[in-house]
Amino acid sequence: MSKQSLPIAVATTGECCSPLIREPLSTDWAGDLARMFKALGDPVRLRLLSLVASHAGGEACVCDISDSFDLSQPTISHHLKVLREAGLLDCERRGTWVYYWVIPDALQQLSSVLAAADPTADDAALVTA
């Protein structure tokens, strides 16, 4: 992926760099981010998030994604619960099925905290001593 296609966080103060570069994370924010990254540290949960995000309409019924895994329904439900508790997915019950969708702000937060630099900056500004 080229530098130009990487998402960046642009703070309201006009700062261009990741919070990791600007200043240390607060204890609370670091805890929130750690919960999200930990939830994504499992390959099944990462794949579940991807399946939900890439599903037509941006939401998926649990019945649409269960067949993609060689796991029991309770195990899939557990993984979906972990993703919900981490703030990465939200859901709604419709009749007997539960529909899930990705919370875009959560993904943006993860992306922007790891963005290293402004892609419009020249390469000399990106070199560190």
Side-chain angles (χ1 to χ4, degrees):
M1 183 182 289
S2 72
K3 290 180 189 174
Q4 284 76 19
S5 64
L6 291 174
I8 63 162
V10 178
T12 56
T13 60
E15 296 179 30
C16 65
C17 301
S18 161
L20 291 176
I21 295 172
R22 282 195 314 268
E23 60 188 305
L25 298 173
S26 71
T27 302
D28 289 340
W29 194 17
D32 291 342
L33 289 169
R35 276 186 288 284
M36 287 190 271
F37 283 121
K38 183 176 180 180
L40 293 175
D42 183 282
V44 170
R45 290 193 286 265
L46 186 57
R47 192 156 167 246
L48 276 169
L49 185 78
S50 174
L51 285 167
V52 170
S54 65
H55 200 268
E59 67 178 27
C61 174
V62 71
C63 63
D64 296 329
I65 55 180
S66 295
D67 291 340
S68 300
F69 298 91
D70 189 25
L71 298 170
S72 68
Q73 179 57 47
T75 301
I76 291 172
S77 293
H78 165 74
H79 287 298
L80 289 166
K81 178 182 175 186
V82 170
L83 290 168
R84 280 193 340 267
E85 289 176 346
L88 296 165
L89 290 180
D90 204 354
C91 66
E92 176 183 73
R93 179 171 291 282
R94 297 178 195 159
T96 58
W97 296 108
V98 178
Y99 288 80
Y100 293 87
W101 59 89
V102 172
I103 300 173
D105 289 344
L107 297 185
Q108 181 58 47
Q109 185 177 10
L110 292 173
S111 174
S112 57
V113 77
L114 293 177
D118 181 349
T120 61
D122 63 17
D123 289 339
L126 297 176
V127 176
T128 59

